[in-house]
Amino acid sequence: MTLDAFLDWESQQELKYEFDGFQPVSMTGVSAAHSRIQFNLMGLLFNALRGHRCQGHGSDLKIQVAGRIRYPDAFIICSEISSRALVVHDPVVVFEILSSSTSDKDHFEKNLEYRDTPS
């Protein structure tokens, strides 16, 4: 599957999917602990970025990195984006909340993708 084909396909799905460069990967639900950590992180980002040109976003907005589509737990962008944007291409900081089921993928695979992003 191509990236464009994935984006077209995903726009018609009820659930969120990431794209690993080859195929859709369904997103799993999160635990209460994960949700609490993400909530606290977003609050810290909101306070830290208040009045700054950079903006924090949560896992409802996707990013394109290394030809893949990811939904990180939080990220920061410093460029202008349309209020209708569905994909961000230039995150400057990306946050993943690790769990026992995702830590290997987040720590190694996604970390390499994020580090290879020019922004």
Side-chain angles (χ1 to χ4, degrees):
M1 178 178 266
T2 67
L3 180 62
D4 289 335
F6 167 79
L7 290 170
D8 288 341
W9 175 84
E10 192 211 19
S11 70
Q12 301 169 30
Q13 306 305 307
E14 288 185 33
L15 303 175
K16 290 193 306 190
Y17 289 83
E18 289 188 330
F19 179 64
D20 67 3
F22 302 101
Q23 62 189 1
V25 178
S26 64
M27 300 293 297
T28 60
V30 300
S31 68
H34 181 283
S35 179
R36 193 168 34 254
I37 292 167
Q38 184 180 29
F39 179 81
N40 289 333
L41 174 60
M42 292 305 299
L44 290 168
L45 290 176
F46 176 80
N47 288 331
L49 298 172
R50 187 185 325 241
H52 196 278
R53 71 180 183 92
C54 297
Q55 302 172 7
H57 292 273
S59 58
D60 289 328
L61 189 58
K62 56 186 153 250
I63 63 173
Q64 181 179 337
V65 292
R68 294 166 172 83
I69 296 294
R70 300 297 186 188
Y71 284 95
D73 294 306
F75 62 94
I76 297 172
I77 59 169
C78 295
S79 60
E80 291 291 323
I81 61 168
S82 164
S83 62
R84 293 181 283 158
L86 301 175
V87 180
V88 171
H89 300 275
D90 55 353
V92 294
V93 179
V94 179
F95 299 90
E96 290 286 358
I97 300 166
L98 303 180
S99 69
S100 57
S101 63
T102 65
S103 65
D104 284 347
K105 185 175 194 170
D106 290 344
H107 189 70
F108 298 106
E109 182 179 336
K110 290 183 181 181
N111 188 30
L112 289 175
E113 294 169 11
Y114 299 154
R115 286 184 11 205
D116 286 344
T117 303
S119 57

